[in-house]
Amino acid sequence: QVQLVESGGGLVQPGDSLRLSCAASGRTLTTSAMGWFRQAPGKEREFVAAISRSGAFTYYADSVKGRFIISRDNAKNTVYLQMASLKPEDTAVYYCAAEFVSPARDMDVSNVDAWGQGTQVTVSS
């Protein structure tokens, strides 16, 4: 199994940037498609971004396209989410996720194989 630990969350102002990290242990990340999801209070967990095993392909929710960038460093077993031009509606707990079988383009809440514990991102003035 894989253990995922997120870091980098915090309180920022609208328009600011933030970078989340997800460190994995217990399994080499090269065998997993990786993704980020988020869950705001009172809402369901939703897809944010995903990256293929090689890092060659990335996928984004429309709400973050052009503002967020997902990347991975397989040598460090780490996945990142660079967030820019943050908005109050980006406020949520952000979760790192691993998918062992399906391709990154198919990542969905229902088929994630491993979750991190989450990190809070709050965007407020």
Side-chain angles (χ1 to χ4, degrees), residues 3 10 39 42 47-48 62 67 96 101 104 106 108 120 125:
Q3 291 77 45
Q39 187 166 17
F47 170 79
V48 175
D62 288 343
R67 299 188 298 122
C96 180
V101 178
D106 293 335
D108 182 79
Q120 176 71 46
S125 56

Side-chain angles (χ1 to χ4, degrees), residues 66-107:
R67 299 188 298 122
F68 291 11
I69 297 174
I70 187 172
S71 62
R72 64 191 298 163
D73 186 336
N74 287 340
K76 295 182 178 180
N77 244 22
T78 302
V79 178
Y80 305 97
L81 185 68
Q82 180 69 48
M83 305 184 292
S85 302
L86 283 162
K87 305 175 182 180
E89 50 264 43
D90 294 317
T91 295
V93 177
Y94 283 71
Y95 296 91
C96 180
E99 166 53 48
F100 302 154
V101 178
S102 300
R105 65 176 181 270
D106 293 335
M107 281 198 81

Side-chain angles (χ1 to χ4, degrees), residues 2-6 22-25 29 34-35 96-98 112 114-118:
V2 63
Q3 291 77 45
L4 305 174
V5 179
E6 302 97 333
C22 172
S25 62
L29 275 192
M34 298 298 298
C96 180
V112 166
W115 293 98
Q117 84 288 351

